[in-house]
Amino acid sequence: MGGSEAGRVDVDALLADRGTQIIVCCGSGGVGKTTTSAALALRAAEQGRHVCVLTIDPARRLAQSMGLTELDNVPRPVADVDTSAGGSLDAMMLDMKRTFDEVVEAHATPEKAQQILQNPFYVALSSSFAGTQEYMAMEKLGQLHAAASDDPDVPDWDLIVVDTPPSRSALDFLDAPERLSSLLDGRFIKLLLAPAKGPARLLSAGFGIVTSALNKVLGAQVLSDVQTFVAAFDTLFGGFRQRAEATYSLLQADGTAFLVVAAPEADAMREAAYFVERLAAEDMPLAGLVVNRVHERAAGGLTAADAESGATRLRAADEESVAELLDVHADRERVAAREEKVQRRFTGSHPTVPTVPVAALPTDVHDLDGLRRIGDLIAGR
């Protein structure tokens, strides 16, 4: 999807395809996923699509350029978007804890929901447990997709663009549901819930010793909070698992396209290669690779060696200012050569993956015009 015979991602064809309902931008941290997501969403909206972009902790100036001046878990219209083609753009930033709270409130009785929301262990889990942000990004994606289809009070988006969380590993987004399941469905949790009857009575003495030890290490109140939370949360967990499986299936559907985002650096490209292989193993539809902040070679064909040689001769003639310009050119050529080598290595290992290089800009993106420029570059315009 979105590829071409030349091996370049045809971004405009991808955005124009009404069969494309979800675009997921993924990759390691610090490679420009959020800016790429926002640029794609804006470009799609100005080409006539009704778009909702889910961003994860964007830079302050980028957030302000989209009208997101504070964390908001509700999609809001983005001002100053060109709607002449009939499109629209709504944007939101994921509030991890608020999303978790909404799930509890929607799937528990008011009494049980209050009990869960006030539990100290739940507060810690929903705010800082590793993987919770990734899981809640998937949860929110499922909510947005369902709301756009069923709720007459919610805008009828025909495209959702997802910026995955800035994880330690790019794989965390796909692994998060299983990690949360492992926590809430593990043997220790089941043991906490086990009734003291039948075969469990045989374990009661040993479990009493374990509980006593945990009380000494964690404190009786902490263990009590965990047991209370698990008992209250147990009836909701089946719903969590079902929704995670439904969203996972949604990610595998033909209407979804993954764009892996990387920088032209060895570590980022290795991470991108690993993610491309994981997507293939999980039958996830890959649209291609976006390589951000690429330094292009200057026109004229002056090599780094020639520039250094010329700089040396100019310094001997006291032409220091021109020599410094040649030094800058030589540095740029060396950087470009190194980046090309890294990209060739990726292409050699994954020759069927369409790619698109995005040239490095001299300044940060901080307004819609900057996002439009990024969109043009991604589309090869």
Side-chain angles (χ1 to χ4, degrees):
M1 184 186 306
S4 68
E5 292 182 1
R8 184 184 179 94
V9 184
D10 190 343
V11 170
D12 280 342
L14 180 68
L15 298 179
D17 183 358
R18 297 287 170 163
T20 304
Q21 299 177 351
I22 297 172
I23 295 176
V24 181
C25 294
C26 51
S28 56
V31 295
K33 293 193 303 293
T34 300
T35 301
T36 299
S37 301
L40 289 171
L42 177 62
R43 188 173 186 85
E46 294 190 333
Q47 291 181 356
R49 301 293 300 270
H50 296 284
V51 187
C52 179
V53 57
L54 169 60
T55 65
I56 312 295
D57 192 25
R60 181 176 297 275
R61 282 185 295 177
L62 177 59
Q64 290 175 343
S65 74
M66 301 184 71
L68 303 173
T69 55
E70 59 183 354
L71 192 65
D72 196 333
N73 209 42
V74 177
R76 309 284 185 188
V78 177
D80 300 324
V81 173
D82 182 359
T83 60
S84 59
S88 64
L89 177 60
D90 292 288
M92 62 170 293
M93 288 184 282
L94 178 72
D95 183 335
M96 176 178 67
K97 186 178 186 311
R98 184 61 218 148
T99 299
F100 211 148
D101 291 350
E102 289 172 355
V103 171
V104 172
E105 292 166 349
H107 297 91
T109 64
E111 295 77 11
K112 181 162 287 189
Q114 194 68 15
Q115 184 182 9
I116 294 172
L117 296 176
Q118 293 179 350
N119 183 275
F121 183 75
Y122 168 79
V123 173
L125 173 70
S126 61
S127 301
S128 58
F129 178 71
T132 304
Q133 186 179 49
E134 290 81 4
Y135 180 88
M136 288 304 141
M138 292 187 71
E139 183 79 35
K140 180 56 71 174
L141 170 59
Q143 290 178 8
L144 291 174
H145 186 264
S149 301
D150 302 330
D151 190 341
D153 295 327
V154 174
D156 190 16
W157 304 301
D158 55 35
L159 177 63
I160 300 171
V161 181
V162 182
D163 162 35
T164 56
S167 309
R168 177 189 57 80
S169 167
L171 303 179
D172 287 350
F173 182 66
L174 295 179
D175 291 334
E178 185 60 34
R179 188 183 307 135
L180 196 63
S181 296
S182 298
L183 170 74
L184 299 175
D185 205 28
R187 291 181 179 180
F188 176 67
I189 296 297
K190 289 181 177 178
L191 190 58
L192 289 177
L193 288 171
K197 60 183 179 180
R201 291 175 64 89
L202 301 176
L203 300 175
S204 60
F207 184 58
I209 295 173
V210 174
T211 302
S212 177
L214 288 172
N215 280 338
K216 292 179 181 178
V217 175
L218 302 175
Q221 186 58 49
V222 173
L223 187 59
S224 175
D225 289 340
V226 173
Q227 289 174 309
T228 302
F229 164 76
V230 171
F233 199 81
D234 187 51
T235 56
L236 296 180
F237 182 59
F240 269 79
R241 184 183 294 277
Q242 289 175 359
R243 288 191 304 280
E245 291 174 352
T247 303
Y248 205 78
S249 297
L250 184 64
L251 293 176
Q252 292 177 315
D254 291 339
T256 298
F258 279 83
L259 279 173
V260 178
V261 183
E265 301 165 359
D267 289 345
M269 293 297 282
R270 276 195 297 269
E271 190 85 6
Y274 190 25
F275 202 93
V276 163
E277 293 162 7
R278 172 66 184 277
L279 289 172
E282 299 288 339
D283 293 324
M284 301 286 182
L286 174 66
L289 172 72
V290 177
V291 186
N292 269 332
R293 303 167 190 153
V294 172
H295 292 84
E296 299 176 321
R297 289 184 180 275
L302 183 64
T303 67
D306 289 340
E308 289 174 336
S309 176
T312 299
R313 290 196 299 270
L314 286 169
R315 284 193 172 89
D318 291 329
E319 295 287 347
E320 182 63 27
S321 58
V322 180
E324 288 179 352
L325 289 175
L326 287 176
D327 287 338
V328 170
H329 177 82
D331 289 341
R332 183 186 180 92
E333 287 295 298
R334 281 192 292 268
V335 170
R338 183 173 66 249
E339 293 177 351
E340 287 177 0
K341 182 178 180 180
V342 171
Q343 293 178 76
R344 283 197 304 270
R345 187 181 301 131
F346 175 91
T347 303
S349 300
H350 304 85
T352 63
V353 177
T355 62
V356 56
V358 178
L361 296 181
T363 60
D364 291 336
V365 175
H366 59 272
D367 56 21
L368 293 184
D369 285 339
L371 290 178
R372 291 186 182 101
R373 176 59 180 148
I374 294 293
D376 287 342
L377 292 171
I378 296 174
R381 299 292 187 264

